[in-house]
Amino acid sequence: MQFKRSAGIFVAGISLIFCGPLLTFIGTTFGTWSAASKSDSGLNAVFIGLAVFGLIAGFVGVIMLVVAAHRALVKIDAIPVRVQSAPAGPRSVLDRR
């Protein structure tokens, strides 16, 4: 059995879609708790960074999911793809690749 690239991209996208909001929830919850308890301000920055990273990871996961679905649909010929043909004309011996 051969693994397909679109399947790997799909699994990574699903993982990021689930982990991104989880990281955002953890970052905002503990960041709010840390700010309310007037603790170290450096720790607040870490939690805000974690929340922003979670948002970015979720967004990248959605993009990866769309790319994987497109690749899979092109592979099974469900989406027509326009392929540009090479210009017709004489070819030299060096063009044989």
Side-chain angles (χ1 to χ4, degrees):
M1 183 166 94
Q2 183 180 359
F3 292 107
K4 303 293 181 192
R5 259 180 119 164
S6 59
I9 295 172
F10 181 79
V11 170
I14 290 291
S15 299
L16 286 176
I17 285 174
F18 286 130
C19 293
L22 180 66
L23 288 175
T24 303
F25 176 74
I26 291 170
T28 54
T29 302
F30 287 112
T32 304
W33 175 72
S34 178
S37 66
K38 308 238 183 203
S39 63
D40 185 23
S41 64
L43 190 59
N44 291 341
V46 170
F47 288 130
I48 290 172
L50 185 65
V52 170
F53 180 72
L55 285 173
I56 293 170
F59 183 69
V60 169
V62 169
I63 292 173
M64 288 177 74
L65 195 65
V66 169
V67 168
H70 180 267
R71 287 177 58 106
L73 290 173
V74 166
K75 194 69 158 177
I76 63 172
D77 292 333
I79 297 177
V81 178
R82 188 176 132 209
V83 179
Q84 294 182 354
S85 61
R91 296 178 59 189
S92 71
V93 177
L94 298 175
D95 286 342
R96 293 184 194 166
R97 293 184 192 153

